[in-house]
Amino acid sequence: MEEIFFEQEQIVTVLTDQPVNGGLLDYVISENSINLGQFVEVPIGGRSCIGVVWDKGSTKINRIKLKRVSRTIDIPFMSNDLRKFLIEVARYTVNPLNKVFKLSLGAIDFKNPPRGKKVYKVGNLELRSITPKRKKVLALLSNFPNRFFTMKQLTSSLDVGAGLINELVSLGNIETHFSHHSTPYQTCKGIFSETLSKNQKLASEQLCKLVSLSKYNTILLRGVTGSGKTEVYLDAISQAIVMRKQILVLVPEIALSIDFVKRVINRYQVKPGEWHSGVQGMERFRLYNAVAKNDVQIVIGARSALFLPFADLGLIIVDEEHDGSYKQEDGVCYNARDMAVMRASILGAQVILASATPSLETWVNVQNGKYRRIDLKERYGDAVLPDIEVVNLREQKIPKGSFISPSLRDEITLRIKHRQQSLLFLNRRGYAPITICQICGFQIGCKICDARLVQHRFKNKLMCHQCGQSENIPSVCPNCCTNGNLKAVGPGVEKIADECQNLFPDARIEILSSDSLEDVSQVEDTFSRLASGEIDIIIGTQIVSKGHNFPNITLVGIIDADLGLQGSDLRAAEKTFQSLRQVSGRAGRHKKVGKALIQTYSPNHPVILAISEGNDDAFWALEANARRKAKSPPYGKMVAFVLTGPNEKILFDIGRKLVGIWLRSYQIDARIFGPALAPVGKIRDRFRVRMLIKCNKTKDIQPKIRKWLSSVSLPRSVKILVDVDPQNFF
Ligand code: ADP
Ligand code: ZN
């Protein structure tokens, strides 16, 4: 990269993570020379902030008024391509640059970077001024001239105080260092699978060819669960390794990274770099630096890994590309899948989107030739796809308050008899979604949110799934004060577990939901017990539907297939299709034939029909057609806005004002809807008012939105969230 640098007393524009002027402020350089892209500390107001040298400064400003750059920060310079990426993300998501810059800092405090533990070794002995105690310390240290000791080791083994050690440090007799406990990331050779089926081999060759071109391209790798997508894209990773390029693999959930890390170790005998919320402090800082210095080859991460400062990224894999968790829904709202394509197109890198059930967005991009596509149609080896059976709940009556049909019960009994495992899927955490008073009909809700409280029996609490607050389960109705008449209504995974325990008293039953995700090691533990056959029935929410291999699960029961189909979400059918297809795919992944039972009140719904008949393409075509007619995404573009604040009326006033301006100035560009109170009208005592803009897909609406929003100044207490390509409308 061409280096551009500035000299002492020149003026530069620095991009900071602070909101003042969108983050861009001018400063005078104190150093001899500073590079474009170099990280610096600068004063703002009374505080000191991190920034990056972004541009040459304005010559119009009176330099007397300008402050000076305080110091440079010792991390690798920001590359030109990352800079372009930040600009593009800010533009696409309609956010100020400072917010996107902040994302790229990865929650690391670069002003006071985490350091390893302080360790001590012998220093310059000529400077000694001897006392008996000092002599004792130095004698030990000089016996081990190359060894580092911790303070604790020194003070306890020598029975001296920390003060004495520090004296010797200041005299120069002892040196201090910071230990980096962890060993460096190891490099590996590209290793290709030798057991590919004919189809897999073709796919692998095609992917490797694309990677070797070092050009931007996106390809959809579509294959049923168990078809070997991972096996095949590991070959593409090997090809990138051969070309000395870095590789980023995005996974939708931390729990899934556990599996993938194992696969990488299996194939390459090295551990990949990991980047997600479970990686903190020193580890985070270390990976950030290693990525920038090209000291790590493979990185696996959550969506935010896209913002890491890769030195030479050649391949991005988005596993389970359809997954909703790729969408960040607060702060800067972005879809990591789409931003991965954006980053790769800036870099000239290859993207592989892998899924058994691609998103309609991707499906359409394939149809119109923007993306390529490879199919893996069969499962690998002897594994066959599960039989799918629909249980019509209109015919099979289930007693009130129960949720497991006689058919499902019989199938589970059979599995227990044959020592096989069953998986029951219900996308609802907790015990019951509603707690209702049987006398007055009152439903217990959150005090600060527009949401009902969900009963959690294991925690013995009522919890709000919006704000996370919880309270004890009362025995007295808060409304009519009668005692003992509160009833938990509707199913949650915990209630299904109760029902199973009654039906199968000897079965070993466990629950896996996002409540378990609070503790990743616990999830890991559950998975390994599942794998070793210590669990008979696993009951789970969305998280069991994804990616994992559970060889001994031969039955999948979907408790309520209709759950996701209710509601007004434009993607309701698509999302339900994806999750039902994914969960059913968990059954019979190895030699044993699997079966999936789908409980529904609407067996003729197109989604249920497509799943049971295995006719995925027909479903996509139907769904695509409906969206095209409605000019909905992916055929139309949507941008959602959520105004939040403590006063509902003020929000509506601002909303109406904004809508008025849009109608006057931009109506030919796009239609606007709202303002309307959001379906969840209040979270954490802040009201929520929504607006929605709908326009043609090809329209470059973002610059207009930016201009439009800047025409109204918001009171301090009001915030506006801009969500381009929204997934959720709550
Ligand atoms: P997917 O990612 O499509 O769900 P995986 O790559 O996880 O599929 O493959 C499913 C299972 O089959 C895994 O246990 C994997 O190790 C095995 N498998 C797939 N392809 C091969 C292959 N070519 N050689 C050996 N094992 C394979
Ligand atoms: Zn709440």
Side-chain angles (χ1 to χ4, degrees):
M1 192 181 86
E2 186 197 357
E3 284 200 1
I4 301 174
F5 59 89
F6 305 99
E7 286 167 11
Q8 202 167 25
E9 300 306 317
Q10 263 189 288
I11 298 170
V12 287
T13 302
V14 172
L15 172 62
T16 71
D17 60 352
Q18 300 296 305
V20 191
N21 194 35
L24 292 167
L25 295 169
D26 280 4
Y27 290 90
V28 178
I29 301 175
S30 316
E31 279 76 5
N32 282 334
S33 125
I34 277 190
N35 268 71
L36 189 71
Q38 195 162 355
F39 283 79
V40 290
E41 202 174 312
V42 291
I44 296 183
R47 279 179 307 156
S48 173
C49 304
I50 178 124
V52 64
V53 178
W54 195 251
D55 208 344
K56 66 172 187 299
S58 161
T59 45
K60 291 187 197 116
I61 303 174
N62 180 356
R63 57 183 300 129
I64 307 295
K65 290 193 180 149
L66 291 180
K67 293 189 177 136
R68 289 178 165 265
V69 170
S70 321
R71 66 176 178 111
T72 57
I73 289 176
D74 183 24
I75 50 171
F77 302 168
M78 182 183 285
S79 65
N80 212 10
D81 63 78
L82 182 55
R83 170 198 169 90
K84 276 193 198 152
F85 181 57
L86 299 188
I87 294 172
E88 271 300 292
V89 172
R91 194 196 65 78
Y92 190 85
T93 63
V94 197
N95 272 289
L97 257 179
N98 66 292
K99 277 170 84 177
V100 183
F101 175 55
K102 193 164 185 171
L103 268 183
S104 76
L105 296 176
I108 298 169
D109 179 5
F110 288 105
K111 287 188 293 166
N112 308 294
R115 292 188 285 191
K117 208 177 184 145
K118 216 175 193 178
V119 287
Y120 303 81
K121 79 188 269 277
V122 66
N124 187 349
L125 291 179
E126 281 161 22
L127 299 172
R128 74 176 64 166
S129 62
I130 294 299
T131 66
K133 272 195 169 173
R134 286 179 177 176
K135 199 171 172 181
K136 186 165 78 173
V137 175
L138 293 178
L140 174 86
L141 284 171
S142 46
N143 269 338
F144 302 95
N146 295 317
R147 205 176 130 184
F148 293 100
F149 294 85
T150 63
M151 177 65 91
K152 197 154 172 230
Q153 283 169 336
L154 290 178
T155 52
S156 62
S157 64
L158 292 165
D159 193 26
V160 295
L164 181 84
I165 307 289
N166 287 331
E167 267 171 44
L168 286 164
V169 169
S170 59
L171 285 171
N173 296 139
I174 295 182
E175 289 175 9
T176 60
H177 294 263
F178 291 97
S179 80
H180 299 265
H181 285 294
S182 11
T183 44
Y185 296 99
Q186 287 167 305
T187 53
C188 60
K189 293 210 176 75
I191 295 170
F192 296 85
S193 173
E194 284 171 2
T195 52
L196 296 182
S197 69
K198 205 170 133 226
N199 234 330
Q200 289 179 332
K201 184 96 191 129
L202 285 173
S204 157
E205 281 168 5
Q206 200 176 342
L207 291 179
C208 291
K209 172 111 190 294
L210 285 169
V211 171
S212 70
L213 295 177
S214 296
K215 273 196 343 207
Y216 162 71
N217 187 276
T218 297
I219 190 158
L220 166 65
L221 176 61
R222 182 185 169 200
V224 294
T225 39
S227 59
K229 292 184 293 299
T230 313
E231 199 65 20
V232 167
Y233 72 61
L234 279 168
D235 269 14
I237 291 178
S238 295
Q239 180 63 36
I241 292 174
V242 167
M243 305 189 53
R244 301 179 182 281
K245 292 280 190 180
Q246 290 174 298
I247 300 111
L248 170 63
V249 180
L250 294 178
V251 286
E253 237 159 57
I254 305 182
L256 284 180
S257 69
I258 302 168
D259 268 12
F260 185 75
V261 170
K262 282 190 196 137
R263 296 280 286 262
V264 169
I265 294 174
N266 251 331
R267 190 178 284 206
Y268 304 102
Q269 275 78 51
V270 306
K271 243 184 125 201
E274 286 183 74
W275 180 266
H276 49 67
S277 59
V279 179
Q280 289 291 334
M282 190 60 214
E283 270 303 291
R284 235 166 207 262
F285 187 56
R286 192 166 84 92
L287 184 71
Y288 182 97
N289 279 290
V291 163
K293 292 177 181 156
N294 213 347
D295 286 341
V296 56
Q297 288 170 296
I298 310 173
V299 174
I300 171 156
R303 58 184 179 223
S304 60
L306 259 188
F307 291 88
L308 284 171
F310 287 94
D312 195 6
L313 183 59
L315 171 63
I316 308 178
I317 292 163
V318 185
D319 200 14
E320 311 281 348
E321 67 88 26
H322 62 277
D323 199 289
S325 10
Y326 281 123
K327 184 70 197 291
Q328 167 140 327
E329 314 217 270
D330 54 9
V332 178
C333 299
Y334 67 94
N335 189 318
R337 180 230 308 147
D338 301 339
M339 295 305 113
V341 170
M342 186 190 276
R343 180 134 200 213
S345 70
I346 292 171
L347 285 168
Q350 177 67 39
V351 179
I352 300 175
L353 307 176
S355 176
T357 53
S359 62
L360 200 63
E361 274 80 4
T362 297
W363 194 83
V364 168
N365 280 331
V366 170
Q367 295 291 306
N368 62 26
K370 259 175 91 177
Y371 299 169
R372 296 175 199 221
R373 160 175 164 185
I374 305 182
D375 280 315
L376 291 173
K377 291 222 171 72
E378 296 129 26
R379 283 188 162 186
Y380 180 73
D382 300 330
V384 285
L385 285 167
D387 290 332
I388 294 185
E389 203 176 297
V390 173
V391 179
N392 184 352
L393 293 181
R394 290 178 197 281
E395 286 163 8
Q396 283 207 20
K397 290 279 177 275
I398 308 181
K400 209 164 175 251
S402 304
F403 302 91
I404 293 172
S405 64
S407 301
L408 182 54
R409 187 195 56 213
D410 295 347
E411 292 286 350
I412 300 174
T413 311
L414 216 61
R415 295 306 176 293
I416 294 176
K417 208 172 119 199
H418 292 116
R419 301 191 159 276
Q420 294 174 359
Q421 294 169 312
S422 306
L423 182 161
L424 302 183
F425 171 75
L426 177 69
N427 203 16
R428 246 197 201 142
R429 294 156 57 200
Y431 183 81
I434 304 171
T435 304
I436 190 168
C437 172
Q438 288 169 294
I439 305 296
C440 72
F442 180 76
Q443 300 185 4
I444 300 185
C446 176
K447 291 184 184 66
I448 55 170
C449 301
D450 174 15
R452 288 187 294 226
L453 291 181
V454 177
Q455 268 202 34
H456 286 245
R457 285 274 165 98
F458 291 137
K459 293 188 178 139
N460 204 17
K461 294 271 182 203
L462 290 175
M463 277 180 63
C464 174
H465 286 187
Q466 294 298 342
C467 69
Q469 285 198 16
S470 62
E471 53 187 71
N472 292 330
I473 303 174
S475 53
V476 173
C477 170
N479 186 48
C480 70
C481 298
T482 53
N483 195 354
N485 283 299
L486 289 171
K487 191 170 179 223
V489 179
V493 279
E494 293 177 7
K495 198 184 260 182
I496 303 301
D498 266 10
E499 190 175 337
C500 282
Q501 204 69 79
N502 288 333
L503 290 172
F504 319 104
D506 299 327
R508 296 160 299 175
I509 297 166
E510 255 186 73
I511 295 174
L512 204 53
S513 77
S514 58
D515 291 316
S516 341
L517 280 182
E518 286 162 19
D519 184 353
V520 178
S521 65
Q522 189 203 324
V523 178
E524 216 169 333
D525 181 56
T526 307
F527 283 155
S528 71
R529 273 179 304 118
L530 193 59
S532 64
E534 289 166 55
I535 298 172
D536 299 310
I537 305 175
I538 181 101
I539 301 160
T541 59
Q542 204 66 41
I543 78 165
V544 296
S545 71
K546 302 179 185 178
H548 313 282
N549 282 317
F550 302 126
N552 207 28
I553 291 180
T554 57
L555 174 70
V556 165
I558 290 160
I559 300 294
D560 184 355
D562 308 329
L563 194 60
L565 292 171
Q566 302 149 1
S568 55
D569 186 345
L570 77 100
R571 292 187 181 80
E574 178 188 352
K575 286 182 189 159
T576 305
F577 176 83
Q578 284 158 344
S579 81
L580 297 188
R581 178 54 91 232
Q582 293 273 345
V583 197
S584 333
R586 298 302 118 199
R589 296 197 59 175
H590 282 235
K591 297 200 167 85
K592 303 180 190 98
V593 179
K595 191 173 209 174
L597 245 57
I598 301 182
Q599 301 195 138
T600 175
Y601 282 96
S602 34
N604 292 319
H605 191 286
V607 168
I608 309 290
L609 285 177
I611 299 274
S612 57
E613 289 164 6
N615 199 347
D616 294 17
D617 281 342
F619 170 76
W620 291 124
L622 194 74
E623 182 65 18
N625 215 2
R627 299 263 192 102
R628 189 186 294 119
K629 274 200 193 124
K631 296 200 172 73
S632 293
Y635 296 96
K637 188 145 137 186
M638 279 186 183
V639 184
F641 305 86
V642 187
L643 285 159
T644 61
N647 184 314
E648 191 179 343
K649 182 176 173 301
I650 291 177
L651 296 184
F652 271 99
D653 287 347
I654 295 169
R656 275 191 287 265
K657 195 165 158 196
L658 276 167
V659 170
I661 298 173
W662 188 273
L663 291 176
R664 273 195 302 283
S665 311
Y666 306 97
Q667 202 185 1
I668 38 165
D669 296 303
R671 291 200 294 157
I672 190 162
F673 303 87
L677 194 64
V680 179
K682 193 174 71 172
I683 296 179
R684 289 197 178 85
D685 263 338
R686 289 174 70 84
F687 289 92
R688 308 173 76 245
V689 167
R690 298 188 72 103
M691 295 175 289
L692 183 71
I693 281 176
K694 256 179 116 169
C695 66
N696 206 303
K697 185 180 170 150
T698 51
K699 191 117 205 162
D700 185 21
I701 200 76
Q702 281 92 332
K704 299 199 161 134
I705 291 175
R706 195 182 284 271
K707 208 166 146 209
W708 169 61
L709 291 176
S710 67
S711 61
V712 170
S713 64
L714 301 176
R716 275 190 94 87
S717 63
V718 174
K719 297 258 178 303
I720 187 159
L721 182 84
V722 184
D723 188 357
V724 179
D725 309 327
Q727 292 270 346
N728 281 308
F729 297 85
F730 65 87

